[in-house]
Amino acid sequence: MALPPEFLDELKNRLVLSDVAGRKVLWDRRKSNAAKGDFWAPCPFHQEKTPSFHVDDRKGFYYCFGCHEKGSLFDFVMKTDNLSFIEAVEFLAGQAGVEMPARTHDPRAAERRDRQSVLFDVMEQTVRAFRLALNQAAAAPVRDYITGRGLIAETVKRFELGFAPDDRQYLTTIFREKGQLDEAIAAGLVIRPDDGGSPYDRFRGRLMFPIRDARGRCIAFGGRAMSEGARAKYLNSPETELFHKGRTLYHHGPAREAAGKAGGVVVAEGYMDVIALAQSGFEHAVAPLGTAITEEQLGLLWRIADEPVIALDGDQAGLRAAERLIDLALPLLAPGKSLRFCLLPEGRDPDDLIKMEGHAAMHAALEAALPLIEMLWRRETASAQLDTPERRAALDQRLRELLRRIDDESVRTHYAAEIKGRRANLFRPARPHSSPYDSGAVNNRGRQQGRFPRPPTQPMRETLGSDLARRTIANDGQARLREAAILLIALRNPGAIAQIENTFEAMIFTQPDHERIRDGLVDHADSKEIEADLTALTGLEVEDLLTAIPQARAHPMARRGRDPAAVAVVLEEAIDRHHALLAHADEMADARRELGEADDERWSVRVAEANRERQAADSRVVTRELETTEEARDSRIQRLLDDEVWRRSR
C-alpha cells in the first residue's frame, strides 16, 4: 500500500522521536538537554552501560556511536518492535491519533474495518468476562490447576487467563442483553445450531487463554478442559473474520518485541509452554495453535528472526513434528533463513524442564539447538541399515530427492556440499594401514577398524595458547612454506586427498588463506575444475598464491599426474612433520619469553642452536622426498596398495 508523502510528514510533525524512543530507553539526565531536543541513553540495539545512543529531535534522527545504528522515527519502531514499514506507520498513526489514508479512500474497506472494530470490542468484553469468572467459587479447581502448574499471580494477570463457566448460556446471556448476540456468533464465541435451536456458548468448563494478534488485539481463544470426560482437551476458536489459525502465533506481539534483544525466537508446542518460558525470562517464545506449523506461520517466524529455535516436546510425537517441519521448510529455505532444533530430554516439555531444573537448564538446551542440516541427516541415517551397496544407494537416492526440494540454488549448493562431506565420512572405509596415532580395535590381520583424526591436533591447539606463541608461529616463514607445499601437492594431485582426508582436515595452519584453501580442497576434491572452483569459493587466485613460493613449486611431488597412493604417503608424513615443527616453534616462543625475563647468555646459545636444528629440519621437509631411500618409500607405497586391494576384496 503506497502512502502519500504528506501523510508521513504529518506523522513526523505530530510525533517527537524522543517520546517514541523513550518507551524503550531511559534518558541520561546529565548528558541530555531537553531544551535543545538533544537526548542520550544506553543503546537499545546492543548491550552497553554508557549512553552512546543519541536522538536529535530537531533533525528527527537517531544514531548510536557504539553500534552505528541510525535512522528515523519509522526505522526506530521497525527495528525495536520487529515491524514492517506499514505496521510501523499504523502503530505511529494510532499514537498520533491520525487515520490511515486507506480508510478514507476505500469505502468498502472502511465498512469492513468498522465491523471488525465491533468484533474486537466483543472479544475484549469476553476477556473481561472470563477473567471475572476465574474468581467464582466454581473456578476453584481451575485456580488450583494454575497454582499447581507453578504460575504466579503476576503471570496469570499478564496473560489474562480466565474461566469459561460450565454453563451453556454464560456468554450468550451477556451478549443477548447487550444486543450483540449476532456479533458474538460471528466472533466464534456463541454457536447457533443449524436446526434453528437456541444459541449456546462454545467454551464451557475450561481454562481460557486469550489469543492476540501481532498488534495486541484479541482475535480468538483457546480453552483447556478441566474435566476428564471432555471430547477435546484443548479447543480453539473457529475460523472467523478476525482469526485464521494457520496464520496466527500465540504470544506473537510480545515475543516479536523481545526477540530484538534476545536475538531470536523460540517456538514451543502450546500455551502453557509459552507461559512457563515467559515467566522464566524467555519472553521471546511463541506457539502454533494446536496444529503443525504452517507455511504462513513459518513466514511469520522468519520475519521475527532468521533462525527460529524449535523447542518441541522431547517425545516421539515432538520428534515427528520436528521432522514434518523439516519437510515443510526445505523448499522455503533462503540465504540466512533456516531453523534450529532444541532437543529436550525424553518425555519433557519446556514447562517440565524449567520446573525440574530451572532457567539455566532451559537456556543450555536452547544454546545447544541443532541446525536443520543436522536434524535432516540424523533422520535419514539414524535407523538406516547401510551394510550393503544397495542400501547405501537407497540413502543416496533419498538425499538427492531432498536436495531437489530446496528451491534456492545457493542454499541447495551448500546443502549438497555439506551432505557430500557427511556421506564421505559415513562411507569412508577402514584405514588400510596402522599408525601410532590411529585408534580402534585391531582385527586379526592387524588393520585398524575405525580411525580418529591424529592426536597431535588437539594438544597442538592447546599448546599454541600464548599470544607470543601465536605471533611467533604466524610469522614463521618456514611454516608458511610447508603449508604452501602441502597444499600445492594436494591441489595438483587431488586423488590423494580421500586417502588421508581425516589427517588433511585436522591439519593446523598458521595462515588463514591456507586454511580456506584446505577446506575448499576437501569439498571439491573430485571436481574436474578444482582450481576454478577453489578460486570462486575462496576469492583467491589459488594456483598463483601457492606457486609464488619457489620452494613449494620445486617440491618433487608438486607435479600433476602423480600416483595418488604415493602422494598420500608423502602428504601424511609432511603433515606429521609440520605439526612437530609447530610444536617446536611453540617451545622456542616460550624460550624467547624466558630469555626476555632472565638475561642469561646460556639462553642465547640454546635458542641459536635450536633455531639451526629447526631450519635444517624445514629444509629437509621441503627440498627432498620424505623417505631416506627410494626403496623404503616404494615399499611403503606397495604396502598401501596391497591393503587397498585386500579391503576391496572383502
Side-chain angles (χ1 to χ4, degrees):
M1 176 176 63
L3 295 172
E6 57 271 16
F7 172 74
L8 300 179
D9 290 338
E10 182 180 359
L11 282 183
K12 292 178 182 178
N13 291 333
R14 286 185 175 231
L15 296 170
V16 180
L17 177 55
S18 61
D19 291 341
V20 175
R23 298 182 304 116
K24 304 288 185 180
V25 302
L26 184 64
W27 300 120
D28 186 290
R29 294 184 179 181
R30 293 172 298 178
K31 199 171 181 180
S32 301
N33 189 332
K36 294 183 177 180
D38 192 54
F39 293 87
W40 293 85
C43 180
F45 301 110
H46 76 287
Q47 299 296 323
E48 66 166 3
K49 296 181 179 180
T50 57
S52 61
F53 177 75
H54 178 235
V55 164
D56 188 332
D57 277 340
R58 292 168 299 181
K59 295 181 179 179
F61 280 92
Y62 65 86
Y63 179 76
C64 175
F65 288 85
C67 67
H68 308 297
E69 282 284 352
K70 61 182 178 181
S72 67
L73 180 74
F74 305 110
D75 297 312
F76 184 85
V77 175
M78 290 167 63
K79 292 175 181 176
T80 55
D81 289 344
N82 271 320
L83 299 177
S84 67
F85 177 71
I86 293 297
E87 290 172 333
V89 172
E90 289 178 344
F91 171 81
L92 292 170
Q95 296 288 302
V98 177
E99 191 173 282
M100 291 289 289
R103 297 192 63 171
T104 60
H105 295 148
D106 187 348
R108 286 178 298 181
E111 181 180 345
R112 183 171 61 253
R113 290 183 182 181
D114 287 341
R115 173 175 170 76
Q116 288 182 351
S117 178
V118 174
L119 296 181
F120 283 130
D121 178 62
V122 167
M123 299 300 288
E124 292 299 339
Q125 292 182 59
T126 304
V127 172
R128 293 192 292 271
F130 286 153
R131 292 191 65 192
L132 286 172
L134 187 59
N135 296 318
Q136 297 176 359
V142 183
R143 294 193 297 271
D144 291 342
Y145 173 80
I146 290 173
T147 303
R149 294 299 297 260
L151 303 185
I152 61 176
E154 181 182 347
T155 300
V156 174
K157 179 180 179 181
R158 173 186 166 189
F159 283 89
E160 303 172 293
L161 303 187
F163 173 59
D166 195 6
D167 179 350
R168 290 172 60 90
Q169 298 294 311
Y170 178 68
L171 288 181
T172 302
T173 300
I174 291 174
F175 288 113
R176 181 183 285 119
E177 292 177 353
K178 290 177 175 290
Q180 294 180 315
L181 186 58
D182 288 342
E183 286 78 7
I185 293 171
L189 301 170
V190 174
I191 297 174
R192 176 178 283 148
D194 294 335
D195 61 6
S198 298
Y200 60 91
D201 288 13
R202 178 178 300 276
F203 299 102
R204 303 183 302 278
R206 292 177 180 270
L207 170 62
M208 299 303 295
F209 303 86
I211 299 170
R212 296 186 176 275
D213 65 9
R215 295 171 61 183
R217 302 172 300 188
C218 184
I219 56 175
F221 287 90
R224 187 194 189 284
M226 290 289 102
S227 64
E228 295 297 330
R231 283 189 290 179
K233 182 177 180 181
Y234 280 94
L235 178 66
N236 289 327
S237 292
E239 299 275 319
T240 69
E241 295 179 48
L242 304 181
F243 177 55
H244 303 282
K245 184 188 298 185
R247 300 201 296 267
T248 304
L249 295 168
Y250 182 62
H251 200 233
H252 185 176
R256 180 177 62 182
E257 184 173 339
K261 288 186 177 180
V265 62
V266 178
V267 184
E269 192 163 320
Y271 308 113
M272 291 303 299
D273 290 324
V274 169
I275 294 171
L277 284 164
Q279 181 173 277
S280 184
F282 301 98
E283 304 281 351
H284 51 301
V286 298
L289 301 172
T291 59
I293 295 174
T294 66
E295 184 175 326
E296 291 84 358
Q297 288 171 329
L298 189 53
L300 292 175
L301 291 170
W302 276 331
R303 288 181 62 184
I304 299 174
D306 287 344
E307 290 190 344
V309 176
I310 312 301
L312 301 178
D313 293 358
D315 53 20
Q316 288 301 313
L319 186 59
R320 286 194 298 271
E323 292 177 345
R324 288 194 299 270
L325 181 55
I326 290 172
D327 292 327
L328 172 70
L330 280 177
L332 308 174
L333 297 178
K337 300 292 185 182
S338 188
L339 299 171
R340 299 185 76 85
F341 293 84
C342 172
L343 301 182
L344 296 173
E346 179 70 28
R348 295 190 191 177
D349 57 26
D351 187 19
D352 296 328
L353 185 60
I354 290 170
K355 282 181 183 175
M356 299 177 69
E357 300 184 37
H359 174 96
M362 190 68 225
H363 178 76
L366 293 173
E367 287 295 304
L370 301 173
L372 192 152
I373 180 63
E374 176 65 23
M375 289 293 293
L376 176 65
W377 181 256
R378 289 189 181 191
R379 183 184 74 176
E380 298 302 323
T381 61
S383 59
Q385 294 292 326
L386 303 173
D387 55 345
T388 68
E390 294 82 2
R391 289 173 173 174
R392 291 194 287 272
L395 173 63
D396 288 343
Q397 183 177 358
R398 293 197 304 272
L399 293 173
R400 284 194 297 269
E401 290 172 355
L402 289 169
L403 286 172
R404 282 195 290 268
R405 297 182 59 187
I406 301 175
D407 290 340
D408 186 274
E409 183 177 355
S410 175
V411 175
R412 186 169 62 250
T413 299
H414 285 285
Y415 262 69
E418 178 72 17
I419 286 175
K420 176 184 174 183
R422 289 170 180 259
R423 180 189 174 281
N425 287 329
L426 183 65
F427 292 162
R428 179 177 288 114
R431 184 170 170 78
H433 68 282
S434 62
S435 158
Y437 299 119
D438 290 337
S439 175
V442 182
N443 66 17
N444 59 2
R445 292 196 59 176
R447 271 78 179 180
Q448 293 284 0
Q449 301 296 332
R451 180 180 182 276
F452 298 96
R454 290 181 170 266
T457 302
Q458 186 57 34
M460 175 64 65
R461 296 188 188 281
E462 293 174 356
T463 61
L464 305 184
S466 70
D467 290 340
L468 180 58
R470 285 195 297 269
R471 286 197 301 270
T472 301
I473 294 172
N475 294 325
D476 186 345
Q478 294 295 331
R480 176 171 170 267
L481 187 157
R482 293 193 302 271
E483 294 168 13
I486 290 168
L487 290 173
L488 188 59
I489 293 169
L491 174 66
R492 291 180 170 176
N493 298 276
I497 295 174
Q499 300 188 35
I500 59 159
E501 191 168 346
N502 279 358
T503 302
F504 196 50
E505 287 181 331
M507 182 177 170
I508 299 172
F509 288 89
T510 64
Q511 308 296 317
D513 285 348
H514 288 172
E515 188 165 6
R516 290 164 59 196
I517 294 171
R518 184 275 311 279
D519 293 342
L521 281 168
V522 172
D523 291 338
H524 298 273
D526 58 354
S527 171
K528 294 181 180 179
E529 302 291 337
I530 187 168
E531 293 175 18
D533 289 344
L534 286 180
T535 298
L537 181 69
T538 63
L540 304 169
E541 294 294 336
V542 175
E543 178 81 10
D544 293 344
L545 178 66
L546 298 178
T547 56
I549 302 175
Q551 295 94 327
R553 188 173 64 246
H555 195 285
M557 280 291 178
R559 301 173 189 165
R560 304 181 196 281
R562 292 284 193 172
D563 177 47
V567 174
V569 171
V570 171
L571 285 175
E572 193 163 48
E573 295 250 349
I575 292 171
D576 286 346
R577 186 71 60 85
H578 174 66
H579 285 165
L581 290 170
L582 285 183
H584 181 73
D586 185 57
E587 293 174 2
M588 294 306 303
D590 287 340
R592 291 191 185 94
R593 175 173 51 78
E594 295 176 26
L595 176 61
E597 295 172 356
D599 187 11
D600 188 336
E601 186 177 348
R602 288 175 297 176
W603 279 110
S604 299
V605 174
R606 172 185 165 185
V607 170
E609 290 177 351
N611 272 330
R612 283 195 296 273
E613 292 174 3
R614 187 192 66 176
Q615 290 167 3
D618 286 348
S619 176
R620 288 193 299 273
V621 107
V622 175
T623 60
R624 67 178 182 82
E625 299 285 346
L626 295 176
E627 292 289 348
T628 56
T629 66
E630 291 286 336
E631 292 79 5
R633 187 177 73 256
D634 291 344
S635 174
R636 295 179 69 250
I637 294 171
Q638 187 60 49
R639 187 177 72 246
L640 182 65
L641 293 173
D642 289 343
D643 286 346
E644 178 69 14
V645 171
W646 174 81
R647 187 175 70 252
R648 292 185 180 183
S649 68
R650 282 186 299 174

